[in-house]
């Protein structure tokens, strides 16, 4: 079995636990509110703005035996640059204060998830950061486009309020095959174990980000 297939299998329970978070299931049923969506975008900004620095830190921490990963990481860095600004544009398009978000602080769960990512790179195995990539891109592929459609239908927001969700839903579909090929080149059991361990942790941490969002009342969405 390829390592990517093992990664999917060994993190499946953690993935399902994330997808079962009430606000995610409610969103897919159309139970959404503007404050919930704005809160999601706020937290997304505060972790997405760290994506490029985290990729750069991973690249800098690679041991010589993983020099082959520098090129793919450079590609990820180039592709991810500026995505935090897309989120700020979405916040403005749905009536939020983008500058307040830019200069504000993340929620506790987001702060902890980002801190864990930096700690994984600095104190553990830097390849563990691919566990975060797996969680965020995999969740985006599974949910982003469906969530954007459900939120837009319920709240009647303009297309300009969904550049992050819709672009990432499409981009991450393209990234998944590339990511799978990268993972299948990682043969050291220690590296594989670090990625699986981190992915399980990030599924839980990302779930906590969603658990911290304001949950719309069912009556409001009815």
């Amino acid at each position: 079995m390829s390592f990517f297939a093992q990664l999917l299998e060994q993190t499946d329970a953690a993935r399902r636990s994330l997808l079962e978070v009430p606000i995610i299931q409610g969103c897919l049923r159309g139970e959404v509110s503007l404050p919930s969506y704005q809160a999601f975008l706020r937290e997304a900004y505060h972790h997405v703005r760290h994506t490029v620095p985290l990729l750069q830190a991973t690249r800098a921490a690679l041991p010589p035996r993983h020099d082959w990963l520098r090129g793919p990481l450079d590609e990820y860095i180039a592709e991810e640059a500026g995505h935090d600004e897309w989120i700020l544009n979405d916040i403005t398009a749905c009536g939020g204060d983008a500058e307040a978000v830019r200069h504000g602080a993340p929620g506790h769960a987001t702060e902890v998830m980002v801190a864990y990512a930096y700690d994984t790179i600095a104190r553990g195995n830097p390849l563990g950061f691919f566990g975060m990539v797996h969680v965020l891109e995999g969740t985006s592929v599974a949910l982003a486009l469906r969530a954007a459609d459900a939120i837009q239908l319920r709240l009647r927001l303009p297309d300009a309020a969904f550049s992050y969700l819709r672009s990432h839903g499409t981009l991450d579909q393209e990234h998944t095959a590339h990511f799978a090929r990268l993972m299948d080149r990682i043969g050291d059991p220690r590296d594989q174990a670090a990625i699986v361990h981190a992915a399980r942790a990030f599924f839980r941490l990302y779930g906590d980000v969603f658990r911290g969002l304001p949950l719309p009342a069912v009556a409001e969405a009815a």
Side-chain angles (χ1 to χ4, degrees), residues 59 62 66-74 127 130 182-183 186:
R59 189 187 189 285
L62 289 176
H66 288 312
D67 279 346
W68 63 273
L69 278 168
R70 297 185 189 279
L73 284 170
D74 287 339
L127 268 63
F130 285 112
L182 287 182
M183 293 301 96
I186 296 172

Side-chain angles (χ1 to χ4, degrees), residues 65-197:
R65 64 193 176 91
H66 288 312
D67 279 346
W68 63 273
L69 278 168
R70 297 185 189 279
L73 284 170
D74 287 339
E75 293 176 10
Y76 268 116
I77 290 166
E79 290 176 359
E80 294 295 326
H83 290 196
D84 52 339
E85 294 295 326
W86 295 358
I87 299 172
L88 294 178
N89 293 338
D90 289 350
I91 290 170
T92 299
C94 65
D97 187 340
E99 288 308 302
V101 172
R102 185 196 300 273
H103 299 292
H108 176 71
T110 302
E111 187 173 14
V112 170
M113 182 175 73
V114 170
Y116 182 83
Y118 281 109
D119 186 69
T120 294
I121 296 165
R123 188 179 58 85
N125 185 326
L127 268 63
F129 177 67
F130 285 112
M132 185 178 189
V133 175
H134 173 61
V135 170
L136 296 184
E137 291 195 349
T139 303
S140 177
V141 167
L143 296 174
L145 296 177
R146 292 171 60 198
D149 290 344
I151 294 167
Q152 187 170 27
L153 180 65
R154 174 67 178 84
L155 301 181
R156 302 183 184 278
L157 293 171
D159 289 343
F162 297 94
S163 59
Y164 171 67
L165 278 179
R166 289 213 165 97
S167 64
H168 266 256
T170 302
L171 280 173
D172 290 341
Q173 287 175 353
E174 299 171 1
H175 286 173
T176 298
H178 179 58
F179 179 76
R181 289 193 295 271
L182 287 182
M183 293 301 96
D184 286 344
R185 292 183 63 183
I186 296 172
D188 190 320
R190 296 169 299 176
D191 295 331
Q192 294 177 349
I195 294 169
V196 170
H197 174 79

